[in-house]
Amino acid sequence: MLRFVVAGAEFDNFSFELANEAELAAFLARILSCEEAEIWSYMREAKADPGLTTDLWRRLRWRLDYTRRPPLGRRLTWYVLARALTPKLVVETGVQDGLGSLALLRALDHNAREGFPGRLISFDTLPTAGWLVAPSERASWRLVTGSSVERMPDVLAGEASVELFFQDSGGDFELASGELRLVLAHASASAVYVSQAQRPALAAFADQQGLRYHAFYHRSFKHVIPGSEMGFAFDAGAVTAQGRRSSRSRSDPRD
Ligand SMILES: C[S@@+](CC[C@H](N)C(=O)[O-])C[C@H]1O[C@@H](n2cnc3c(N)ncnc32)[C@H](O)[C@@H]1O
């Protein structure tokens, strides 16, 4: 543990290399109804993206309180979902340093280059949240400071439908359930909901809304934390990654 705390300088939000990427690729391809090769291409892309590697490492070089080369860990899954589903609007609760936000913003940037622009709205109570995201990466980002459940109604009212939601504001069942209800009121029928710390709230939400619930265990590679599970909820009939891409390029040619 000491080795990870000193060398990794991470105290409360571990990120780790994944030991089971092949299982992850197979799982995501299955739930998104797309080819494994497509999932692998997004994974490779994330790992080679300068915004998530060299540019980020350069900025972190002198930070003593943060890992110098943070692995994406579970956020690789976030990246792949944002790439595969080409959402117009992604919402995230719980930003902390901003590694998850950065992964999503890089995925949205790649989508935009392919003709599928999208935006990210993130909520966190911390005024310092998101410090890790460089100004040059913020063009498609709205970072809202304040409690998710208090700010969501106003912020989401004037926005497009939420297509991808990451609940990452911690392990409080009531908070997560409140966030899910608020997002639902502004979400498309084919929205995908993701949670790690509050899988019970997500599973209960999926049950109430008649959505399919899936879970995947991200196994760590040589890390003091063995791994962590992530939950996914969506209308099974409405979500296919290939379907979304092809229908958008045909019926929604955004420039
Ligand atoms: C697990 S961390 C988020 C990790 C981040 N998504 C990442 O990828 O590294 C949880 C964050 O949720 C925030 N949080 C806690 N309660 C919240 C609330 N009611 N509304 C918004 N954010 C909240 C905390 O300030 C903390 O930064």
Side-chain angles (χ1 to χ4, degrees):
M1 171 63 98
L2 188 62
R3 182 161 70 88
F4 284 99
V5 171
V6 174
E10 275 185 43
F11 297 96
D12 58 358
N13 188 18
F14 288 98
S15 49
F16 46 72
E17 301 280 1
L18 295 183
N20 56 342
E21 283 182 2
E23 281 171 40
L24 177 62
F27 168 81
L28 290 174
R30 180 169 57 79
I31 67 167
L32 298 176
S33 307
C34 66
E35 298 294 326
E36 266 184 59
E38 184 182 339
I39 304 293
W40 277 112
S41 74
Y42 300 141
M43 287 181 172
R44 279 194 297 272
E45 178 183 270
K47 290 177 180 196
D49 189 291
L52 296 172
T53 54
T54 46
D55 292 352
L56 176 63
W57 300 341
R58 204 173 305 117
R59 289 205 310 286
L60 292 175
R61 206 168 24 182
W62 303 112
R63 294 274 315 207
L64 298 178
D65 58 343
Y66 202 79
T67 308
R68 287 183 195 160
R69 295 184 171 202
L72 287 179
R74 63 191 172 100
R75 301 168 195 91
L76 184 63
T77 303
W78 291 22
Y79 184 96
V80 170
L81 285 174
R83 286 292 279 135
L85 297 172
T86 60
K88 290 182 199 164
L89 183 60
V90 184
V91 169
E92 171 198 31
T93 58
V95 173
Q96 203 165 13
D97 310 306
L99 190 54
S101 312
L102 183 61
L104 292 170
L105 289 166
R106 292 307 307 143
L108 293 177
D109 183 61
H110 283 276
N111 287 348
R113 287 165 201 264
E114 292 173 359
F116 304 106
R119 295 173 55 243
L120 170 66
I121 302 178
S122 306
F123 297 83
D124 202 301
T125 46
L126 295 174
T128 54
W131 61 267
L132 190 144
V133 182
S136 58
E137 302 283 3
R138 294 181 179 228
S140 304
W141 196 25
R142 181 170 178 193
L143 173 57
V144 179
T145 304
S147 179
S148 52
V149 282
E150 286 170 19
R151 299 298 313 277
M152 269 180 172
D154 279 353
V155 170
L156 297 184
E159 294 287 345
S161 299
V162 180
E163 296 186 319
L164 188 49
F165 174 53
F166 295 96
Q167 191 284 322
D168 207 22
S169 58
D172 186 294
F173 185 95
E174 291 308 321
L175 175 63
S177 301
E179 291 175 351
L180 286 162
R181 276 195 302 275
L182 289 167
V183 170
L184 177 71
H186 296 278
S188 74
S190 59
V192 175
Y193 305 81
V194 181
S195 180
Q196 177 157 308
Q198 255 313 317
R199 295 183 308 287
L202 182 64
F205 170 79
D207 199 37
Q208 284 154 14
Q209 301 304 323
L211 304 177
R212 183 82 53 86
Y213 178 81
H214 298 270
F216 182 79
Y217 189 82
H218 295 86
R219 232 170 346 102
S220 71
F221 179 70
K222 290 187 180 172
H223 197 283
V224 67
I225 303 291
S228 55
E229 192 167 274
M230 187 178 282
F232 308 82
F234 50 82
D235 179 339
V239 174
T240 81
Q242 274 170 348
R244 280 204 191 180
R245 275 186 176 256
S246 57
S247 65
R248 284 209 168 142
S249 49
R250 273 202 311 273
S251 64
D252 184 16
R254 291 167 280 166
D255 50 18

